[in-house]
Amino acid sequence: MAKVAIVGSGFIGRAWAISFARAGYDVRMWDQAPAAASGARDYIAGVLGDLAANDLLRGQAVDTVLGRITIVEELGEALADAVHVQENTPENLEVKRDVFSRIDALSGPQAVIASSTSALLPSRFTDHLEGRHRCLVVHPINPPYLIPAAEVVPAPWTSAETVERTRAFLVEAGHAPLVMKRELDGFIMNRLQGALLEEAFRLVADGYASVEDVDTGLRDGLALRWSFMGPFETIDLNAPGGVRDYVERYQAIYSNIFPQMLRRVDWAGEVMETIEAERRKRLPREELGERQVWRDRRLMALAAHKKKSDQEFGQ
C-alpha cells in the first residue's frame, strides 16, 4: 500500500486519516503530543462504526480500515516513503514555517507536502524551502470523510506536476478537488461562504430578518439545490435558454442590490447580542456537542443518499 503521512492529529488530521485509510492507503499519524495521537485513533475507531452503518466504508470492515492507521512516535518514521504528506498544525505562520522546514528535510523527494490551512497562503510558509516546488495547500471542508470537496492551492513556485499529482491523488481517494490557478486570500470556499455570511449578518443587523429566517432560507431553500449543483449550473437551469438567458433576464436585479452589499457589519458588534440570544434560545450551549454529533450523522445520511443517487443517475 502507498503510504500517507498525517502531521498533527486534531479534528482535521484525524478526519483526513479516516478518508485516506478508507481509500486504501497506509496512514502514519504523528503528533508532537503522543497522547493526542493516541486519543485520535480512539476517536477514529468510534467514527468508523457510524460510517460502516451508512455504507460509507467502500464495503470494508471497520477493523480493516482502522488497521491501516498507525500512530508513530517520530516524525521521520511517519514521513518515510510517504507519497503524500498532509500537515494539520495550528493556524500560526511561524509554526507552519518550522513544521514545513522539518518535513522538507525529512521526507523523500517523491512526497507531495500539503497543508490543511484555511487562511494562510502557501507562499508565506514555503518560500524558504529547497523543495518548495512540491508544496501547496489542500484545504478541506471538515470533515473530509463526509464532504468530498477539497481546495488545491499552489504557491507561485509549486510545479505543475505537483498540482496534477495532488489532483489525481485526491480523486483516487474519493475527493472532489477544486484546483486553483493561483493563490488568493480565502481560497474559493471561504470567499463564497464569506459573501453569504456578510449578507446574513447585514440582514439581521438591519432588522430585515431573524436568525432563524436566514437559516430557513438556506436550509429549506437554496441549500436543497446547492446540495447537488453549484451556482452556475443552478442559473443555467433556471432560464429557458440557459446561463446567458438567465443573465439577460435577471442581472438587473443583482446590479440593483449590489451597492447595498458594500457595507460591512461588525460580526462581533451589537448584532452578536441578537444572534447569540436567538441561537441559544433554540440550542442551549450545553447541547452544542450533542447537536454536532447529530450534524455529522445527518451528513453521513446525506452522503449515503448522494452516493446511491449518483449510482442510479449515472453521475
Side-chain angles (χ1 to χ4, degrees), residues 12 14 18 38 62 72 79 87 101 103 127 147 153-154 158 165 168 171 182 186 203 255 289 291 308:
I12 302 298
R14 63 185 67 171
I18 292 170
S38 297
V62 168
V72 298
L79 300 174
E87 172 273 329
S101 294
I103 295 173
D127 60 303
I147 303 178
V153 188
T158 305
R165 282 183 58 200
V171 170
R182 57 184 186 274
L203 288 168
S255 63
R291 188 68 169 177
K308 181 179 179 181

Side-chain angles (χ1 to χ4, degrees), residues 208-253:
Y208 292 109
S210 69
V211 171
E212 184 59 19
D213 288 331
V214 173
D215 277 359
T216 297
L218 269 293
R219 181 185 62 237
D220 300 320
L222 295 174
L224 295 178
R225 289 189 304 217
W226 290 351
S227 68
F228 60 90
M229 66 174 69
F232 288 117
E233 184 174 7
T234 295
I235 66 172
D236 198 29
L237 300 179
N238 274 5
V243 63
R244 184 179 295 276
D245 186 19
Y246 183 94
V247 169
E248 291 172 351
R249 289 169 182 260
Y250 303 119
Q251 179 177 211
I253 297 174

Side-chain angles (χ1 to χ4, degrees), residues 194-300:
L196 183 60
L197 284 172
E198 288 286 348
E199 186 58 30
F201 273 87
R202 271 192 298 271
L203 288 168
V204 174
D206 294 345
Y208 292 109
S210 69
V211 171
E212 184 59 19
D213 288 331
V214 173
D215 277 359
T216 297
L218 269 293
R219 181 185 62 237
D220 300 320
L222 295 174
L224 295 178
R225 289 189 304 217
W226 290 351
S227 68
F228 60 90
M229 66 174 69
F232 288 117
E233 184 174 7
T234 295
I235 66 172
D236 198 29
L237 300 179
N238 274 5
V243 63
R244 184 179 295 276
D245 186 19
Y246 183 94
V247 169
E248 291 172 351
R249 289 169 182 260
Y250 303 119
Q251 179 177 211
I253 297 174
Y254 299 98
S255 63
N256 177 55
I257 64 177
F258 180 71
Q260 303 168 34
M261 297 178 170
L262 301 181
R263 175 182 58 85
R264 283 211 78 239
V265 168
D266 180 6
W267 295 8
E270 185 178 347
V271 68
M272 179 48 62
E273 299 302 319
T274 300
I275 293 172
E276 185 172 41
E278 290 193 33
R279 283 303 307 153
R280 294 291 71 83
K281 184 177 180 179
R282 294 187 66 85
L283 182 68
R285 187 183 303 275
E286 60 270 18
E287 296 178 16
L288 283 169
E290 182 181 344
R291 188 68 169 177
Q292 289 163 353
V293 172
W294 170 88
R295 174 203 60 197
D296 288 351
R297 287 178 175 164
R298 293 299 296 164
L299 281 171
M300 290 181 195

Side-chain angles (χ1 to χ4, degrees), residues 144-157:
Y145 55 81
L146 293 177
I147 303 178
E151 297 175 303
V152 178
V153 188
W157 39 77

Side-chain angles (χ1 to χ4, degrees), residues 6 30 48 72 82-83 140 239 283:
I6 301 292
W30 174 85
L48 290 176
V72 298
V83 297
L283 182 68

